[in-house]
Amino acid sequence: MTGVDYITPEHPGALGIPGGTTIDKVQLTCLLEEHKDQVERANQAQELMHTLKQMIIKAVPERYLAILHNPFTSAYEAQSARQILTHLKRTVATLTDDELQEEYDRIAATTFDPHGMEVTEVMADIRFLGRLATAINNPYSDAQLMRLALKIFTNCGYFSQGIRAWKARPVAEHSLENIHQHSVWEHATLHELNQSIGAIAGHQVNVLQESTNSMLNQQQQFFEAKTQELTELVLALRQELANFLANASNTSKTGDKPKKKKKKEKAKKQEYHQVGNENNPCNYNCWLHGSNNTHPSFTCNKALANKEAYPKFRTDATFDNRMDGMW
């Protein structure tokens, strides 16, 4: 503005007093105050340049500054505000009308992602396009930039209701600033609505999950109980089978005795059954009844049923050895 280049104050470094120099207390105080003032001016200038640099970077779309990126950090720490402005003057400010149209078409083809982008990002590109057009003496009107914004937000399909509400507003309210505010509000409203729907859906999912978990727990408990019952039943059946096999084994060991007894009884019956003759005309001998034709001693029902009355009864009495029994 004054035609004089701005010279950035440099930091003076540490205060140095040449050796052998004699100064009094007043001179030392002045030197300290002057050094302190130089340090403050240098720090303020550095902060100012940093702030100016950040304002430029924020105002200019990243694609115009990509060439200035640090390849390792993707930052601009090696570039001063003056260097960035010089770069923009030599590149962006010298665009032709055709290049400006290409930039317009590029912005118009923007696909707005309501979940990953902000309305302000799109509007910043549009506003910068307007400043760029003005810089090369081919300005866009506010209505042209507003229609560009409306086209981008219409194409994304997210602001259908909001676009209808915008078109219903009085024409006098149709401006770039108003469509910016309207779209920001609409975006925020839809975002909150989606969050509410998501919260409700999430709650329902949680309820369903809890119900499912409860049902699964009940089923698991039921199956565990039935498994326990089956286990106990199998153990009981195994025990019964073991007992049965043990009894069968014992029976098989003693099973021949009755047969032997029957065999012995049969032998006795044959032995006691004698064919009668003129001296002994009867077929059997009974200890209680003597010779008879109906039964031997070992099948005498009367004697067997009254052992107390016949304590000396012998089942093995025969014709040859009556054992003190009846004749």
Side-chain angles (χ1 to χ4, degrees), residues 155-256:
N155 290 342
C156 77
Y158 187 72
F159 297 108
S160 301
Q161 185 63 33
I163 295 299
R164 285 193 291 269
W166 168 257
K167 291 180 178 180
R169 294 177 63 169
V171 176
E173 296 180 5
H174 287 192
S175 66
L176 190 63
E177 182 63 28
N178 285 343
I179 195 173
H180 184 180
Q181 295 178 357
H182 180 87
S183 299
V184 168
W185 179 85
E186 182 69 17
H187 189 204
T189 301
L190 292 175
H191 182 68
E192 292 177 0
L193 178 61
N194 288 337
Q195 284 185 327
S196 299
I197 294 174
I200 294 174
H203 174 71
Q204 296 299 326
V205 169
N206 291 336
V207 171
L208 179 61
Q209 184 65 42
E210 292 176 359
S211 177
T212 302
N213 291 340
S214 176
M215 182 175 65
L216 290 176
N217 290 335
Q218 292 177 358
Q219 290 180 347
Q220 183 177 2
Q221 293 174 358
F222 173 79
F223 288 135
E224 290 177 353
K226 291 301 180 183
T227 301
Q228 183 64 27
E229 290 180 7
L230 288 175
T231 301
E232 294 175 356
L233 178 61
V234 169
L235 292 176
L237 289 174
R238 286 180 177 178
Q239 186 60 44
E240 289 185 5
L241 178 61
N243 295 338
F244 174 78
L245 293 177
N247 293 334
S249 176
N250 293 334
T251 301
S252 64
K253 291 179 181 179
T254 59
D256 293 338

